[in-house]
Amino acid sequence: MAHNIPSWAVDGPAEAPASPRTLRTLRKIRSHQVLTTSNALIAQTQSSQSSRPSGTHVTDKGSIGTPGTPARASTHRRARSNSDAATRAANLAAPASTQRRPARKTGSGIGVKRSQLESLLRDGPQSGKGRDGLQELKYLVLSCRVDADGDGMSPYRVYLWLVLLNLSPVPTDEYLAFIHRGRSPAYAKIRNDTFRTLATDPLFKRRVTEASLIRLLNAVAWKLHDSKTKPKSRPSSSRRRTMELLVNTPPRIAEEPEEPGSANNTTVNESATYVQGMNVLCAPFLYAARSEVEAYALFHHFITKECPGYIRGAMDGVHKGLRLVDRCLEVVEPKLAAHLFSKGMHAELYAFPSVLTFCACTPPLPEVLHLWDFLFAYGTHLNIVCIVAQLLRMRDTLLATDNPNKILRSLPPLDAEKIIALTVLLAPKIPADLYAEMVTHAK
């Protein structure tokens, strides 16, 4: 190790050592030189910073700091982690125009390829013939699924239903007029059911409110009420001639007694304007429609044209449908039918909700919508066969148990694609006379 030897100790004659005062003076001179050099370096650094662009400056360690921060203070700062440096640099370097939004899953946007089903629904048949286009539309419903997201929402499903049910648009004022009339005669019954409509389905609860259910059911109840209390239509010409012969007859003889169910009877049966289960039946319409008016039009048309027997006070159509489930099961799978009947398990004990709501009571809701696409295309009477198809998918489990009631308390979740495929295979096995009863049982 080198040592600093004073010059007086190497060359020349020996001199006396320096006094303590001389050493203190030398130390002061050296400290002054060090401080002067440091101040000069600091001034030089500050002048170079002033020539740089405002916003950042380089410290003595080469790190990036903020203006006004002392250079020496930054030397003791913890360095920034560079784990996200590449991602951060890429985000800063990429222009805003290159950041693309994710493409939509459906083909309703510009530049997105449409499915054949959506193209046919939007553009119509190429031949221009409505009947041919309708047949092609039904085939596409069967062969390819309606484009929808994970929640079952599709931008054109409601219009597909309007076309398949042959339903014209309904003026919004008609729906609003019923809303403004207030509570219908069936309002109390409606309020007793709406709060438990698909109560365990989070998709339905997130999209449809109880208030919209009440409004729609109340409006339909007013519509049915008015249809039952409207005045009798004008008599036909033959009946008019008969009445002309009785012009001079006393009124008490000419008047005919009114039948209890005649259109001229002003006594309204509340159970005919609303029956329990209509709340679940209208739920898919509200979920799939883009407005309450569309749901109102679809639901009213459906219950009055497709299944009017289901909403009568005695629900005759539903009970006919239950008997048809047993008869169809006997035809397509006699062994399973015999096993269930031997245990006292008839359709009226387990299939009542499925028949009344067209399987809307069985989750998940997106599969219900897919199944309804098929039913609206090929006939809602096929719901009977769809219920039988669900039983056949449980065949081995039901045959292996002595207590099928425990299994059939709740049907397994819907798999619309498999149920539709099995229904298409089972329908040709049903005899013509039984199939004809199935077509007309809900009327």
Side-chain angles (χ1 to χ4, degrees):
M1 181 176 180
H3 296 276
N4 294 327
I5 301 174
S7 60
W8 55 266
V10 178
D11 297 324
E15 296 181 1
S19 63
R21 179 177 298 181
T22 304
L23 293 178
R24 286 196 298 270
T25 304
L26 291 174
R27 284 197 295 269
K28 289 180 180 181
I29 294 173
R30 290 176 182 175
S31 299
H32 176 71
Q33 291 176 351
V34 171
L35 292 175
T36 304
T37 305
S38 299
N39 291 334
L41 291 175
I42 293 175
Q44 183 180 1
T45 304
Q46 291 178 351
S47 62
S48 62
Q49 290 173 359
S50 61
S51 62
R52 293 179 178 271
S54 59
T56 60
H57 71 280
V58 180
T59 63
D60 55 347
K61 293 296 183 179
S63 60
I64 299 178
T66 57
T69 303
R72 294 182 59 86
S74 62
T75 61
H76 301 286
R77 187 179 302 169
R78 181 179 177 181
R80 177 186 173 90
S81 174
N82 293 326
S83 58
D84 61 341
T87 305
R88 183 179 179 87
N91 293 336
L92 292 175
S97 59
T98 61
Q99 298 180 359
R100 299 180 180 177
R101 299 178 61 184
R104 294 194 291 181
K105 296 182 180 180
T106 59
S108 58
I110 300 176
V112 180
K113 185 178 180 181
R114 297 176 183 172
S115 64
Q116 292 182 341
L117 180 60
E118 184 179 3
S119 298
L120 178 61
L121 187 64
R122 288 176 176 269
D123 304 333
Q126 295 180 356
S127 61
K129 297 180 180 179
R131 185 177 297 274
D132 296 341
L134 184 60
Q135 293 299 325
E136 185 180 358
L137 190 66
K138 292 180 178 180
Y139 172 76
L140 290 176
V141 169
L142 182 61
S143 60
C144 60
R145 192 164 183 156
V146 173
D147 292 331
D149 57 17
D151 295 343
M153 300 306 301
S154 172
Y156 63 89
R157 171 175 270 132
V158 63
Y159 305 112
L160 174 66
W161 288 2
L162 290 170
V163 172
L164 294 176
L165 295 177
N166 192 22
L167 181 60
S168 302
V170 173
T172 305
D173 293 341
E174 177 183 330
Y175 179 69
L176 294 177
F178 289 124
I179 297 298
H180 295 157
R181 286 173 66 174
R183 300 180 178 183
S184 67
Y187 181 79
K189 292 185 176 182
I190 292 173
R191 289 302 305 271
N192 288 335
D193 290 342
T194 51
F195 72 93
R196 51 175 174 252
T197 304
L198 303 184
T200 59
D201 195 319
L203 296 179
F204 180 78
K205 288 298 182 181
R206 185 166 63 241
R207 179 171 175 82
V208 181
T209 63
E210 184 183 359
S212 62
L213 270 171
I214 295 172
R215 285 193 297 266
L216 189 145
L217 291 171
N218 196 66
V220 171
W222 274 124
K223 181 78 170 179
L224 297 175
H225 176 275
D226 293 349
S227 65
K228 289 182 173 296
T229 57
K230 65 182 181 180
K232 186 183 294 184
S233 59
R234 187 177 181 181
S236 61
S237 57
S238 59
R239 181 164 176 77
R240 191 183 304 113
R241 287 193 297 269
T242 304
M243 295 179 65
E244 289 174 355
L245 297 175
L246 301 175
V247 170
N248 297 326
T249 307
R252 59 183 179 86
I253 300 178
E255 293 175 353
E256 297 180 0
E258 294 182 353
E259 298 179 0
S262 63
N264 197 35
N265 188 10
T266 57
T267 302
V268 180
N269 184 6
E270 290 188 9
S271 62
T273 59
Y274 178 81
V275 295
Q276 190 174 12
M278 286 174 62
N279 57 318
V280 179
L281 191 58
C282 82
F285 292 111
L286 267 176
Y287 185 82
R290 301 171 71 92
S291 67
E292 288 185 25
V293 180
E294 292 176 343
Y296 160 78
L298 284 166
F299 179 61
H300 178 263
H301 175 87
F302 185 75
I303 62 176
T304 56
K305 303 299 181 182
E306 299 293 331
C307 58
Y310 283 19
I311 65 170
R312 296 193 187 105
M315 294 185 179
D316 295 335
V318 179
H319 293 289
K320 291 180 181 178
L322 294 171
R323 291 190 291 269
L324 287 171
V325 171
D326 289 335
R327 293 171 61 186
C328 290
L329 184 61
E330 283 183 304
V331 171
V332 300
E333 189 55 48
K335 183 178 180 180
L336 178 59
H339 176 71
L340 293 178
F341 296 163
S342 66
K343 305 299 181 181
M345 290 300 298
H346 294 271
E348 61 184 5
L349 297 179
Y350 60 86
F352 186 90
S354 298
V355 173
L356 174 61
T357 64
F358 293 83
C359 296
C361 59
T362 307
L365 191 52
E367 296 298 313
V368 174
L369 302 181
H370 184 199
L371 184 63
W372 278 26
D373 295 337
F374 168 73
L375 293 179
F376 293 166
Y378 290 92
T380 54
H381 59 277
L382 289 174
N383 179 54
I384 302 298
V385 189
C386 289
I387 297 174
V388 175
Q390 295 179 65
L391 296 175
L392 262 62
R393 298 190 66 224
M394 307 166 59
R395 178 181 181 276
D396 296 339
T397 305
L398 292 173
L399 291 176
T401 182
D402 293 332
N403 187 15
N405 181 31
K406 184 177 180 180
I407 299 176
L408 294 175
R409 286 176 183 175
S410 59
L411 296 178
L414 286 180
D415 189 337
E417 186 173 354
K418 294 181 179 179
I419 293 174
I420 292 171
L422 191 55
T423 299
V424 173
L425 295 176
L426 295 177
K429 299 181 180 180
I430 300 176
D433 56 342
L434 181 58
Y435 195 90
E437 291 185 38
M438 191 169 61
V439 171
T440 59
H441 80 280
K443 305 301 181 182

